[in-house]
Amino acid sequence: MNNETIRLSNLSIGYRGKNGTRVVAAGINAAIRSGELTCLLGANGVGKSTLLRTLSAFQPKLDGDVLIEGREITTFSDKELSRMIGVVLTEKPDIRNMSVRELVALGRSPYTGFWGTLHEDDWQVVDEAISAVRIEPLRERMIHTLSDGERQKVMIAKALAQQTPVIYLDEPTAFLDFPSKVEMMQLLRQLAQTQQKTIFLSTHDFELALQVADTLWLMESQGLSVGTPRELANSGALARYVERPGITFDPMTLTVNIKK
């Protein structure tokens, strides 16, 4: 049985500034479970990145609760959060003169103290993370020589080395070719299932998410729809999101059809 790791209760997200508060989304009620790959879908500007930043504690919520394993996120110290949540962002790391193994080892920083000294058991965790993402041949390669797909796998290995129960990813397939997108999503789902991680990611790869995700969050201006791909297809939510003149959605086959 997959357990509820994250619980959002009447959550409001947005920004407080000198000119008042801008609410991006309100009344969000949902849960994210361990052992599942949960994909966040939604149009540009609807608030996906704001939601991810709020769940990662990079920005404060406006109202409501974000519970991690039953505990309100605002009660965690930075160190506690670094042992609870791993975050993989879209930005390409501009890193030179660092090997893959050295970058993955940075994931151990929540555990290594002020001087950042890695012990033998830390290096074992690093090598296990590299193996889990299947990038052993890249271990000694320099980061700036990697392809986008290889670099993204390294960042996921770094998050695994952090040994957090929760991993958030912002558009992890953004710069990848299609076979690499499929491989990345399959890898994340496998890691969720085999390591009982709670993996939550935003993506624009609509049809791929329908095929790989265990649970979908569809974020729209009128609210959040949560369910399996089949449930959201049957409810009409996916058709409402994707259909335009010349574009139809087949809820039986979970495919998008484009009129020629």
Side-chain angles (χ1 to χ4, degrees), residues 10 12 16 20 22 43 55 58 71 90 92 105 107 109 111 127 134 143 152 170 174 188 191 211 242 246 248 258 260:
N10 206 29
S12 292
R16 287 192 176 93
R22 184 169 78 87
L55 297 186
F58 291 165
R71 182 177 163 192
T90 314
K92 301 178 186 180
S109 59
Y111 309 94
D127 289 334
R134 301 191 289 275
I143 294 299
Q152 194 69 294
D170 185 18
L188 290 169
L191 291 172
Q211 294 182 62
V242 79
T248 59
I258 301 171
K260 293 181 180 176

Side-chain angles (χ1 to χ4, degrees), residues 28-43:
I28 300 172
N29 293 284
I32 313 173
R33 299 181 183 279
S34 64
E36 294 184 0
L37 177 63
T38 303
C39 290
L40 173 64
L41 299 169

Side-chain angles (χ1 to χ4, degrees), residues 86-126:
V87 181
V88 180
L89 300 174
T90 314
E91 289 83 29
K92 301 178 186 180
D94 184 22
I95 297 170
R96 295 185 172 271
N97 302 318
M98 181 179 282
S99 71
V100 164
R101 194 168 183 243
E102 288 169 336
L103 180 56
V104 175
L106 293 179
R108 297 304 297 159
S109 59
Y111 309 94
T112 54
F114 180 77
W115 297 109
T117 305
L118 270 67
H119 301 288
E120 189 176 335
D121 54 346
D122 292 305
W123 284 112
Q124 184 176 339
V125 171
V126 168

